[in-house]
């Protein structure tokens, strides 16, 4: 299937294009891993068009679960499956090796759990997300609230500046009841080592670097159409 674009397409239209293109990675009878965010919302809308041909989805957030359910797509608990053929999700950044920064929508922990269940991670993104080195987008890190200050100081020692994410005037509370630090000023040249290092800090629930759970494929929305990157 070809998914051509015209130069006039907006960022929203590019999201729709890659959301539809991701259907090529869904097979009859699948339970599909579904991410979170505005690009994934376009994918969920497209998935609704073939819902009678799939078994359902495992969702990475309350928001995606609500959208899937509203469209009549069955949502399975992650504990009900041994593995998933495919996980489809957006990214805040992706590099030329398929390493990503995720968590702009605060769903990074469940996203990493569902990604770990999947044989293949298909990232859907517009071309503004492709970067040479991760770190331009402030890195989301889900933390246990009592550890936030100490973790912020550990990032400062690496040259980062961590800020507690707020929503409606109060610290944002994730689907898991925790907080998010957004860390600006990092340049993540070795994403695998960086992810492993931060994972060991007490109180870190999930770091938004997806190097151990990197993309296998990225469908990138460009003015010329969908560009497929394989890693
Ligand atoms: C949510 C995520 C999203 O995938 C990421 O923020 C990209 O979102 P969008 O498609 O809205 O740009 O990681 O936690």
């Amino acid at each position: 299937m070809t998914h051509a674009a015209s130069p006039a397409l907006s960022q929203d239209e590019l999201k729709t294009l890659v959301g539809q293109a991701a259907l090529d990675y869904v097979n009859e009878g699948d339970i599909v891993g579904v991410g979170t965010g505005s690009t994934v919302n376009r994918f969920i809308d497209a998935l609704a068009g073939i819902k009678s041909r799939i078994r359902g989805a495992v969702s990475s957030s309350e928001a995606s679960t609500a959208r899937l359910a509203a469209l009549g797509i069955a949502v399975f608990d992650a504990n009900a499956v041994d593995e998933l053929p495919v996980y489809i999700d957006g990214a805040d950044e992706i590099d030329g090796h398929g390493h990503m920064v995720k968590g702009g929508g605060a769903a990074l922990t469940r996203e990493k759990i569902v990604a770990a269940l999947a044989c293949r991670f298909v990232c859907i993104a517009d071309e503004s997300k492709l970067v040479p080195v991760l770190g331009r987008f402030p890195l989301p890190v889900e933390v246990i609230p009592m550890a936030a200050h100490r973790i912020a100081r550990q990032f400062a020692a690496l040259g980062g500046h961590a800020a507690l994410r707020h929503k409606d005037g109060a610290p944002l509370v994730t689907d898991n009841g925790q907080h998010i630090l957004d860390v600006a000023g990092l340049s993540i040249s070795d994403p695998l080592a960086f992810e492993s290092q931060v994972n060991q800090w007490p109180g870190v629930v999930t770091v938004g670097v997806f190097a151990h759970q990197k993309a296998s494929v990225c469908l990138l929305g460009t003015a010329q159409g969908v560009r497929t990157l394989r890693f």
Side-chain angles (χ1 to χ4, degrees):
M1 192 189 291
T2 49
H3 304 275
S6 85
L9 288 188
S10 66
Q11 194 179 29
D12 257 9
E13 289 167 325
L14 291 177
K15 289 179 183 186
T16 301
L17 197 68
V18 293
Q20 288 170 343
L23 288 183
D24 289 354
Y25 293 81
V26 176
N27 290 311
E28 186 99 23
D30 278 355
I31 298 178
V32 183
V34 174
T36 299
S38 57
T39 315
V40 165
N41 283 345
R42 301 284 83 79
F43 168 66
I44 295 174
D45 296 346
L47 197 61
I50 61 159
K51 66 181 177 188
S52 61
R53 308 215 300 270
I54 62 166
R55 285 178 63 199
V58 171
S59 167
S60 62
S61 64
E62 302 296 341
S64 288
T65 297
R67 193 175 190 97
L68 288 159
L71 290 167
I73 298 169
V75 179
F76 291 82
D77 190 285
N79 290 301
V81 300
D82 290 330
E83 68 175 25
L84 298 167
V86 67
Y87 177 62
I88 294 171
D89 199 358
D92 299 303
E93 289 187 333
I94 183 163
D95 71 11
H97 302 282
H99 305 131
M100 295 164 286
V101 163
K102 294 183 43 54
L108 64 164
T109 296
R110 296 188 190 192
E111 290 174 341
K112 209 174 263 192
I113 292 168
V114 186
L117 280 169
C119 302
R120 191 181 221 191
F121 189 138
V122 176
C123 174
I124 50 177
D126 67 82
E127 64 184 340
S128 69
K129 307 288 183 69
L130 186 62
V131 296
V133 179
L134 301 179
R136 191 177 62 193
F137 188 91
L139 175 69
V141 185
E142 183 163 357
V143 299
I144 303 285
M146 72 174 286
H149 182 63
R150 181 168 188 276
I151 292 168
R153 285 190 293 125
Q154 286 182 279
F155 277 118
L158 299 182
H161 176 75
L164 191 63
R165 193 182 299 181
H166 283 71
K167 187 180 177 191
D168 303 329
L172 178 143
V173 178
T174 67
D175 286 352
N176 313 306
Q178 310 302 337
H179 287 170
I180 298 280
L181 288 175
D182 291 304
V183 189
L186 298 170
S187 178
I188 304 168
S189 55
D190 186 345
L192 268 174
F194 183 92
E195 183 181 6
S196 298
Q197 178 188 2
V198 177
N199 272 338
Q200 293 183 41
W201 295 353
V204 168
V205 178
T206 301
V207 55
V209 171
F210 282 53
H212 292 281
Q213 269 78 42
K214 70 172 195 165
S216 348
V217 175
C218 178
L219 304 176
L220 206 62
T222 77
Q224 288 72 44
V226 178
R227 193 176 146 207
T228 303
L229 311 177
R230 296 181 196 282
F231 308 104

